[in-house]
Amino acid sequence: TTTINKPSTLTADMTPDNATQTVNAKRTVDTNNVTGLKTYGDWTLDGDDFATITPVAVDGYDVTPASVTAADTDLSDFVADDGNSNGNFTAEFTYTANSHGYTVVPKGPDGNPIPGTTPTDETGKTGDPIEVPDIPGYTPDPSGSKQLIPGDDGDVYVPYTPDAQTALVTFKDTTTGAILDVKSLNGVSDADIDFGTVHDEIAALEAKGYVLTSDGTAAGAKYDTDDAATQQFEVDFTEGTTGPTTPTDTGDSNYAD
């Protein structure tokens, strides 16, 4: 028979095909006709010998011994202690996780790589928890971050969720220094910022007589990945004026002949 010792992370059936074998042995016996004393000869093979047992190979694990052959046994191993009935020989194999490289690939909710990140090469033992990179502005998915190191040197994909981010847009009257309004915009890391409400506010202020001088809300801007800070944008205005005009009314004190 065969005994397999393996870590709990190795769940597959590792029993070799020829794990159970039957070996027949025989020996001679001489009986003293007076005393009845029996003298036994050595055991000899009666039929096919014990066939080599080779353990199942598994990526990421070392196994000892490499095999069990007939040379590792004796015919007496197949005989019970009483010397007359069938015995049992057990071939024992032990699997241990080995250390090797693997690559962690972060990916976003859409399955694509997270902007600004690159795969990281790690080293560890098969079946141990993977190393999960810390990516600013993102939180690893619980299920993905609990993955175990695979048996091969391949890629391990870890899904991340972008964190919530806030951007503030300040509308400023540079003529007086007054703050005209502040808009709070909400999104997630690396997502496009929707400045729709900002454009509406710009139009409303222009209708009140303000003149836009600087718009810091550039098209294509994205939420950053700094969870500790709020993004800041500024839109500047001056107070519009009408004129100069030339009086035409001779009764106007500003009229000059």
Side-chain angles (χ1 to χ4, degrees):
T1 58
T2 302
T3 297
I4 304 295
N5 302 313
K6 61 183 181 179
S8 59
T9 52
L10 189 54
T11 58
D13 181 8
M14 311 309 300
T15 305
D17 292 338
N18 61 344
T20 301
Q21 301 181 38
T22 299
V23 175
N24 295 318
K26 63 183 179 180
R27 63 181 176 176
T28 59
V29 57
D30 292 326
T31 304
N32 187 307
N33 293 331
V34 175
T35 63
L37 180 66
K38 297 181 182 296
T39 302
Y40 294 95
D42 293 333
W43 288 102
T44 60
L45 189 66
D46 185 17
D48 293 333
D49 199 353
F50 176 81
T52 298
I53 298 179
T54 302
V56 177
V58 183
D59 286 342
Y61 292 86
D62 298 323
V63 57
T64 55
S67 65
V68 173
T69 69
D72 300 314
T73 68
D74 187 271
L75 286 176
S76 61
D77 294 329
F78 301 95
V79 182
D81 291 340
D82 61 13
N84 294 310
S85 55
N86 293 333
N88 182 68
F89 170 76
T90 300
E92 186 170 351
F93 297 101
T94 300
Y95 287 83
T96 54
N98 60 35
S99 183
H100 59 90
Y102 64 99
T103 302
V104 176
V105 182
K107 64 178 182 178
D110 57 1
N112 294 321
I114 296 174
T117 65
T118 57
T120 58
D121 293 328
E122 305 287 353
T123 300
K125 286 187 176 181
T126 304
D128 283 352
I130 63 172
E131 289 289 338
V132 180
D134 181 20
I135 300 178
Y138 287 82
T139 300
D141 181 80
S143 61
S145 61
K146 292 180 180 179
Q147 294 183 79
L148 302 180
I149 298 173
D152 57 22
D153 297 341
D155 295 340
V156 179
Y157 293 89
V158 179
Y160 286 74
T161 300
D163 296 339
Q165 302 292 347
T166 299
L168 293 182
V169 181
T170 301
F171 300 83
K172 185 177 181 180
D173 179 348
T174 57
T175 302
T176 64
I179 302 301
L180 303 174
D181 197 1
V182 177
K183 294 288 185 184
S184 179
L185 307 177
N186 299 303
V188 296
S189 298
D190 288 319
D192 292 334
I193 300 177
D194 182 358
F195 289 117
T197 57
V198 172
H199 299 154
D200 293 341
E201 182 67 9
I202 291 174
L205 290 171
E206 287 178 328
K208 293 179 180 180
Y210 289 96
V211 177
L212 177 67
T213 58
S214 175
D215 183 0
T217 60
K222 295 180 180 292
Y223 288 100
D224 64 19
T225 57
D226 187 348
D227 294 344
T230 299
Q231 279 176 270
Q232 301 286 342
F233 297 90
E234 185 171 310
V235 180
D236 293 336
F237 296 83
T238 58
E239 296 177 357
T241 59
T242 300
T245 60
T246 301
T248 58
D249 183 359
T250 57
D252 191 323
S253 60
N254 292 314
Y255 179 83
D257 192 358

